[in-house]
């Protein structure tokens, strides 16, 4: 079958998916993006089509249909880098499939239960997954703010899409709140910033960044789990807009044990709900009860999910094999050890507080590590300069981290 691949987005996720395509074919994939971002701006391995209207559904549909016209009778494989575009695809799935597009995402009803955190925690509170204790605050009603918590607590928006469209002073992706007075102040700041949906107030699970875990799953178009990774995180990003994203992780490594059990829970959960496509699980190990609590599930590959590629599971190839050639492997867990790092080695040495984990990461650094954004075949000089500046900025970001302090 003759086909084209269209990656939607210009962020880090979109870049490494473009890299995965380039690694297979040695050709430039096409990207559709709202605006230039540094991750893809200076790349020599991809083509970008910019359209400022794609952040809205009709503009998005107009843009992908314009692209389809240029492709003639070729099938177009759609790959989204974020929830907004994945949601648009899910909403219009029947029409898109009839018009020559292919993709692998869960249906709109299912994707909504994952995308909106209030719905996620309420829908799956009695599932096989272990979830943190959670309270909900309706900003639209703006009633009395509950403060009878054991602090610290985590505060985050349920409606990430709405929240991401807002810009206000004091905006964080996630808030770690230490006192009742601080909780009241933060909720009022978010409401005054224009957010009028549900806020999640959640038990803060104790432990440094090495208590965090990442799992990447792929379920084929028939809803059968075909691939699962499980990686222990050593550091997360530290800026206000990026905290919660893994900066350093090691696949096939788990200091706390119980990998087989949590992987079986993930498999059972995904197949029970009939999930299709990539999913990324954010988890944290809770030493108080020995359980891995699921913080959220992204209905797509995550920002750090590239690490499955050097482990032998190129995500673009998996989609092509499944959707174009109707061929997928038997289920397997990726158990080999692999270090993925967005940050330079000096950050690992200085800021990973778990000594055993830090030593393991430095050992794996010597034998070879993966950085999703640094690709030897992408030789643009401006891109190299950008990453030199980016690595230097990391030292400032971690030194001035609002999260760690």
């Amino acid at each position: 079958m003759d086909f084209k691949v269209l990656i939607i987005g210009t962020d880090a996720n979109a870049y490494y998916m473009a890299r995965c395509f380039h690694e297979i074919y040695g050709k430039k994939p096409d990207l559709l993006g709202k605006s230039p971002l540094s991750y893809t701006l200076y790349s020599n391995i991809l083509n970008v089509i910019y359209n400022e209207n794609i952040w809205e559904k009709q503009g998005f549909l107009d843009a992908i249909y314009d692209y389809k016209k240029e492709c003639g009778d070729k099938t177009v494989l759609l790959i989204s880098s974020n929830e907004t575009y994945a949601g648009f695809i899910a909403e219009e799935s029947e029409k898109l499939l009839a018009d020559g597009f292919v993709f692998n995402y869960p249906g709109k009803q299912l994707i909504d239960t994952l995308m909106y955190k209030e719905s996620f925690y309420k829908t799956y509170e009695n599932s096989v997954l272990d979830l943190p204790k959670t309270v909900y605050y309706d900003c639209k009603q703006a009633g009395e703010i509950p403060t009878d918590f054991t602090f610290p607590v985590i505060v985050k928006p349920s409606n990430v899409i709405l929240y991401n469209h807002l810009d206000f002073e004091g905006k964080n992706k996630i808030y770690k709140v230490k006192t009742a007075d601080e909780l009241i102040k933060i909720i009022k700041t978010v409401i005054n910033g224009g957010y009028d949906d549900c806020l999640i107030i959640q038990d803060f699970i104790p432990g440094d960044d090495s208590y965090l875990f990442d799992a990447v799953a792929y379920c084929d178009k028939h809803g059968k789990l075909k691939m699962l990774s499980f990686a222990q995180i050593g550091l997360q990003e530290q800026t206000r807009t990026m905290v919660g994203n893994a900066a350093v992780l090691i696949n096939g490594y788990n200091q706390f044990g119980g990998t087989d059990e949590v992987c079986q829970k993930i498999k059972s959960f995904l197949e029970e709900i009939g999930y299709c496509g990539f999913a990324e699980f954010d988890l944290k190990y809770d030493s108080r009860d020995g359980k891995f609590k699921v913080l959220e599930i992204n209905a797509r590959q995550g920002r750090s999910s590239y690490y499955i590629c050097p482990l032998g599971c190129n995500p673009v190839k998996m989609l092509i094999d499944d959707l174009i050639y109707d061929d997928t492997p038997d289920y397997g867990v990726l158990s080999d050890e692999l270090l993925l790092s967005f940050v330079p080695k000096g950050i690992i040495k200085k800021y990973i507080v778990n000594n055993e984990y830090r030593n393991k990461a430095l050992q794996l650094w010597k034998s070879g590590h993966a950085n999703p954004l640094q690709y030897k075949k992408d030789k643009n000089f401006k891109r190299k300069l950008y990453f030199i500046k980016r690595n230097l900025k990391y030292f400032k970001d971690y030194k001035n981290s609002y999260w760690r302090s």
Side-chain angles (χ1 to χ4, degrees):
M1 181 187 295
D2 202 1
F3 66 94
K4 295 279 286 184
V5 173
L6 180 62
I7 299 167
I8 306 159
T10 52
D11 60 5
N13 189 321
Y15 177 82
Y16 79 70
M17 292 299 277
R19 171 181 175 174
C20 289
F21 179 95
H22 194 271
E23 288 181 13
I24 305 169
Y25 298 105
K27 298 178 181 179
K28 295 181 179 182
D30 294 329
L31 274 65
L32 173 64
K34 178 179 179 291
S35 57
L37 292 177
S38 52
Y39 304 106
T40 49
L41 180 60
Y42 302 120
S43 175
N44 287 339
I45 65 159
L46 50 86
N47 301 310
V48 186
I49 305 162
Y50 294 112
N51 186 321
E52 63 183 10
N53 299 316
I54 63 171
W55 205 236
E56 303 298 332
K57 183 173 139 181
Q58 190 55 54
F60 172 82
L61 293 172
D62 291 343
I64 63 172
Y65 273 94
D66 286 345
Y67 180 84
K68 182 70 172 63
K69 288 177 185 177
E70 297 295 323
C71 298
D73 294 333
K74 294 179 181 178
T75 298
V76 175
L77 169 59
L78 298 174
I79 302 175
S80 173
S81 65
N82 64 49
E83 289 86 354
T84 298
Y85 304 134
F88 292 159
I89 293 168
E91 287 176 24
E92 301 295 330
S93 59
E94 289 188 15
K95 177 172 172 52
L96 292 173
L97 287 170
D99 291 338
F101 296 93
V102 293
F103 43 84
N104 199 11
Y105 293 103
K108 178 65 168 61
Q109 186 175 354
L110 179 53
I111 210 170
D112 281 349
T113 67
L114 303 173
M115 189 182 304
Y116 300 104
K117 292 180 174 61
E118 178 185 12
S119 178
F120 169 64
Y121 295 120
K122 289 181 176 179
T123 302
Y124 302 114
E125 62 181 346
N126 296 318
S127 72
V128 69
L129 300 179
D130 297 302
L131 303 173
K133 294 178 182 178
T134 303
V135 173
Y136 311 94
Y137 181 78
D138 186 351
C139 293
K140 189 172 292 185
Q141 298 296 327
E144 183 178 352
I145 297 173
T147 57
D148 55 338
F149 300 107
T150 300
F151 290 89
V153 295
I154 296 296
V155 176
K156 55 189 176 182
S158 170
N159 189 335
V160 176
I161 293 177
L162 170 62
Y163 192 75
N164 286 346
H165 280 73
L166 300 174
D167 185 18
F168 57 88
E169 187 176 351
K171 179 183 176 183
N172 294 348
K173 181 183 176 185
I174 304 171
Y175 301 85
K176 183 164 64 175
V177 185
K178 299 176 182 177
T179 67
D181 288 343
E182 187 181 1
L183 177 63
I184 293 171
K185 180 180 178 182
I186 285 171
I187 291 179
K188 288 182 177 179
T189 297
V190 171
I191 293 173
N192 292 336
Y195 183 77
D196 61 357
D197 209 319
C198 175
L199 281 175
I200 302 297
I201 306 173
Q202 203 163 67
D203 174 42
F204 176 75
I205 300 171
D208 61 75
D209 286 356
S210 67
Y211 284 70
L212 295 166
F213 284 78
D214 178 88
V216 183
Y218 182 75
C219 294
D220 68 13
K221 60 188 176 185
H222 304 296
K224 295 298 181 183
L225 184 62
K226 295 296 183 177
M227 181 281 303
L228 182 62
S229 68
F230 194 67
Q232 184 173 349
I233 294 171
L235 277 178
Q236 60 180 320
E237 298 275 356
Q238 298 292 305
T239 61
R240 294 181 181 275
T241 58
M242 293 294 289
V243 70
N245 290 307
V248 178
L249 61 77
I250 302 174
N251 184 71
Y253 185 71
N254 177 3
Q255 293 176 297
F256 306 107
T259 297
D260 291 344
E261 180 182 357
V262 70
C263 286
Q264 184 56 49
K265 286 184 177 182
I266 291 172
K267 183 176 188 296
S268 298
F269 172 78
L270 290 172
E271 293 188 344
E272 183 176 332
I273 66 174
Y275 191 88
C276 293
F278 280 103
E280 185 200 33
F281 287 69
D282 292 337
L283 310 96
K284 190 169 186 181
Y285 177 73
D286 193 336
S287 60
R288 298 169 298 185
D289 58 13
K291 295 179 179 180
F292 290 88
K293 306 290 176 65
V294 178
L295 306 179
E296 65 178 8
I297 303 175
N298 295 310
R300 52 167 172 76
Q301 71 283 350
R303 178 179 178 272
S304 59
S305 298
Y306 172 78
Y307 69 94
I308 67 172
C309 188
L311 288 168
C313 291
N314 185 307
V316 174
K317 186 176 187 301
M318 293 182 74
L319 287 166
I320 291 170
D321 287 347
D322 185 13
L323 304 177
I324 304 296
Y325 300 118
D326 198 24
D327 179 27
T328 57
D330 294 331
Y331 169 69
V333 175
L334 304 181
S335 58
D336 291 346
E337 289 184 351
L338 179 87
L339 171 67
L340 177 140
S341 178
F342 284 91
V343 301
K345 184 165 64 173
I347 296 291
I348 292 176
K349 287 182 176 180
K350 188 170 184 178
Y351 291 104
I352 292 181
V353 299
N354 182 323
N355 291 333
E356 181 181 335
Y357 187 102
R358 181 176 64 247
N359 292 336
K360 184 68 175 181
L362 293 173
Q363 173 191 336
L364 290 171
W365 187 285
K366 293 178 182 178
S367 58
H369 67 285
N371 184 322
L373 302 177
Q374 294 185 344
Y375 182 34
K376 289 182 179 179
K377 294 184 179 180
D378 202 351
K379 299 179 179 180
N380 188 303
F381 181 68
K382 288 183 178 180
R383 182 175 177 80
K384 291 181 179 178
L385 286 179
Y386 163 73
F387 278 104
I388 291 172
K389 294 178 181 178
R390 177 183 172 86
N391 284 342
L392 291 173
K393 184 177 180 297
Y394 266 123
F395 286 94
K396 181 179 179 180
D397 290 343
Y398 278 85
K399 180 180 179 181
N400 299 324
S401 167
Y402 90 99
W403 187 262
R404 191 180 69 256
S405 60

